[in-house]
Amino acid sequence: MPPLAATTNSAKLRRRRRFPALLALASFLSLLTVALAVSYWVWQPATLRIAVGPAGSDDETLVQAMVQAFDTKDSPVHLVPVAADGPLQSITLLTNGQADLAVTRGDLQMPPTARSMAILRRNVLVLWSAASRGAKPKVKSLADLAGHRLGVIGVSQVNIALLRVVLGESGISPDKVTMVQFGVDQMTDMTADVTLDAFAMVGALNDKTIADALSTTARRRSEPKFLAVDVSEAIAERHPLYESEEIPPGAFGTTPQRPDDKIETVGINQLIIAPASLSEDTAAAFTRQLFAVKPQLAKAMPAAGKIQKPDTDKDAALPAHPGAAAFIDNNERSFLDKYSDYLWGGVLLLSGLGSAAAWLRHYLKRNERKENTEHRDRLLAAIAAAREAQTLDELDTMQCEADEILRETLACHDDGAIEDGDLAAFNLVLIQFHEAIANRRTVLAMGGQRGPVARSA
């Protein structure tokens, strides 16, 4: 009769029971780390670089004020200004990926992916004429410009392109008007040039440069006469980049009041643009924050009060960024709308990981299941051995070894190595073993009478 050998020791049991706890702790810490990393990434403020220039311009001053207003701990967006020498370079910086936003004019050549985020202000075309002292004015209306020289403040070709559109739509051949460009710092030279009969400039209604140009003209020549663009509505209809505008009386804040009556002209938007690749969430956050701080900015800078929402129509000349449009049209998607696909994907991924973990656990427990089967088979063999035991000491030894097997089996069940069905089968064998031990003890107590032990009903 083979002896019933012990198959485990207490150290092995402790290691086995410790493994699931360590695995659970490691899984919890991993999930916590991922959750913290995702939360940090989601709630981290976005930093956007905004190209603006030239230095000292109204645009640059306004952007600096925006940077300060956005610089709060609760702001979802922080701004970093990127210096540019003008709107053209701002577009270049945006195109090259050196900026995330750019301040520029709406009639400049935009990259195909440019999208509007906000209208900073509406620029207007200001046309005026002035005769030399003592001379009669040569240009009294826009139609009189043919055959004359026109001084244009601003060295960019964008102003020339605008004037050619205005002249062409007004029935004047642009080739019959000689346009001479001057820098902003050359206003004195321009007004002193007696060969010039009219002047043009593009800027905001509160632009100090325009007021200075008009005052310099009045001081060096004669009181400026404003030239109306009577076809502004037709221009706006045919050229979506331009708008029909009116310059109200006294708009330029000069003394005497200039102009003394409203003047019809053409307007051009000064924009903040972004690439279409900018995240919709980030674009919406920027737009929301901009209009949230607008009242605060307007108190310190009246020009900020002119900030407007971009045109969200799909056929707009420069479409609004989808993120900005969603905020403006109150169509922002909810958390579930944005991330439902990711959530379902996560559920499927977790389901797959769970199945993989279950298989891995089953695989790692294969030795324990094999041992449990061996234990059950040994108990079956021990039943026959118990019926042949000659002393009570042999029965006690078998009982102790059976108790050790029972502890091992229960530990395997707690670890999930064996199922409830396997434990039930083991229990049946254990009951039979105990009956065999009890019956043999009775026989030995009666004096060692040998013979088959009756099975209990």
Side-chain angles (χ1 to χ4, degrees):
M1 179 181 64
L4 183 61
T7 59
T8 62
N9 55 50
S10 59
K12 184 177 180 182
L13 281 172
R14 286 195 298 270
R15 287 196 300 271
R16 177 174 293 161
R17 290 170 180 172
R18 190 185 306 128
F19 177 74
L22 292 176
L23 181 61
L25 178 61
S27 301
F28 172 76
L29 292 177
S30 299
L31 290 174
L32 181 62
T33 301
V34 172
L36 291 175
V38 171
S39 299
Y40 177 81
W41 176 75
V42 169
W43 296 109
Q44 185 74 357
T47 299
L48 299 179
R49 300 162 297 169
I50 179 167
V52 62
S57 64
D58 291 343
D59 289 340
E60 196 263 349
T61 302
L62 179 55
V63 166
Q64 289 292 346
M66 289 169 54
V67 169
Q68 295 179 11
F70 277 49
D71 190 20
T72 63
K73 66 177 183 179
D74 297 328
S75 175
V77 176
H78 290 167
L79 296 179
V80 176
V82 178
D85 59 16
L88 279 173
Q89 190 184 24
S90 294
I91 293 177
T92 301
L93 292 171
L94 185 75
T95 304
N96 294 340
Q98 296 172 273
D100 306 299
L101 304 169
V103 177
T104 188
R105 269 177 54 167
D107 56 343
L108 287 171
Q109 183 65 39
M110 300 284 182
T113 60
R115 297 293 182 267
S116 177
M117 298 287 287
I119 300 172
L120 283 187
R121 65 173 182 274
R122 187 67 56 79
N123 294 322
V124 293
L125 171 64
V126 184
L127 286 162
W128 72 95
S129 65
S132 300
R133 297 228 176 252
K136 293 182 179 181
K138 299 178 182 179
V139 177
K140 298 180 180 179
S141 67
L142 196 62
D144 297 332
L145 277 177
H148 294 277
R149 290 166 59 86
L150 177 65
V152 182
I153 298 178
V155 296
S156 171
Q157 288 299 308
V158 67
N159 286 343
I160 300 298
L162 169 60
L163 287 167
R164 292 182 69 86
V165 169
V166 169
L167 293 171
E169 293 293 341
S170 300
I172 305 167
S173 173
D175 296 333
K176 293 184 178 181
V177 179
T178 302
M179 289 178 265
V180 184
Q181 292 180 272
F182 294 85
V184 176
D185 57 347
Q186 295 177 303
M187 285 189 295
T188 302
D189 297 337
M190 182 183 71
T191 54
D193 190 342
V194 296
T195 67
L196 300 175
D197 302 308
F199 310 95
M201 186 174 181
V202 175
L205 291 177
N206 60 345
D207 193 337
K208 187 175 181 298
T209 305
I210 297 179
D212 290 343
L214 295 172
S215 297
T216 301
T217 300
R219 186 173 62 253
R220 299 182 64 88
R221 303 184 70 150
S222 61
E223 185 62 27
K225 178 175 178 55
F226 290 90
L227 308 178
V229 182
D230 296 326
V231 293
S232 62
E233 292 185 1
I235 292 174
E237 183 69 25
R238 296 189 181 96
H239 303 272
L241 293 176
Y242 305 125
E243 302 282 346
S244 177
E245 287 290 325
E246 282 187 353
I247 302 174
F252 300 114
T254 58
T255 304
Q257 176 177 284
R258 299 188 182 102
D260 57 4
D261 197 3
K262 63 181 181 181
I263 303 295
E264 188 175 352
T265 188
V266 174
I268 310 101
N269 289 331
Q270 192 79 358
L271 303 170
I272 297 178
I273 63 172
S277 58
L278 182 67
S279 162
E280 289 190 23
D281 290 342
T282 303
F286 168 81
T287 309
R288 185 186 306 108
Q289 185 70 6
L290 175 60
F291 287 97
V293 302
K294 176 182 172 181
Q296 171 189 340
L297 292 172
K299 290 179 181 178
M301 295 186 62
K306 299 183 180 298
I307 297 175
Q308 301 176 34
K309 298 173 181 177
D311 188 354
T312 59
D313 289 343
K314 293 184 178 180
D315 59 350
L318 183 64
H321 191 285
F327 164 72
I328 293 167
D329 294 338
N330 198 26
N331 289 329
E332 289 185 271
R333 295 184 297 167
S334 66
F335 179 85
L336 289 178
D337 291 335
K338 294 176 185 176
Y339 301 110
S340 59
D341 291 343
Y342 297 102
L343 291 174
W344 282 113
V347 170
L348 293 175
L349 177 61
L350 289 176
S351 177
L353 291 176
S355 299
W359 176 87
L360 179 61
R361 183 183 182 189
H362 188 270
Y363 177 78
L364 293 175
K365 301 292 184 180
R366 67 190 186 281
N367 290 333
E368 294 183 51
R369 292 194 302 276
K370 181 179 179 182
E371 287 180 1
N372 178 257
T373 301
E374 293 175 354
H375 295 338
R376 188 180 61 194
D377 293 341
R378 287 175 181 174
L379 276 178
L380 286 171
I383 293 173
R387 292 170 181 158
E388 300 295 331
Q390 299 301 313
T391 66
L392 293 176
D393 289 340
E394 290 182 28
L395 295 177
D396 291 340
T397 300
M398 291 180 186
Q399 185 68 60
C400 290
E401 292 175 346
D403 292 341
E404 186 69 21
I405 289 177
L406 176 60
R407 283 193 291 270
E408 174 70 9
T409 301
L410 292 177
C412 290
H413 180 265
D414 291 341
D415 289 346
I418 61 175
E419 305 295 334
D420 291 343
D422 297 325
L423 187 63
F426 176 85
N427 185 52
L428 289 175
V429 176
L430 186 63
I431 291 173
Q432 293 296 319
F433 171 78
H434 285 311
E435 288 183 355
I437 291 289
N439 291 336
R440 190 58 182 171
R441 284 183 187 278
T442 302
V443 171
L444 292 176
M446 293 173 62
Q449 181 179 352
R450 303 291 299 273
V453 179
R455 293 180 177 272
S456 61

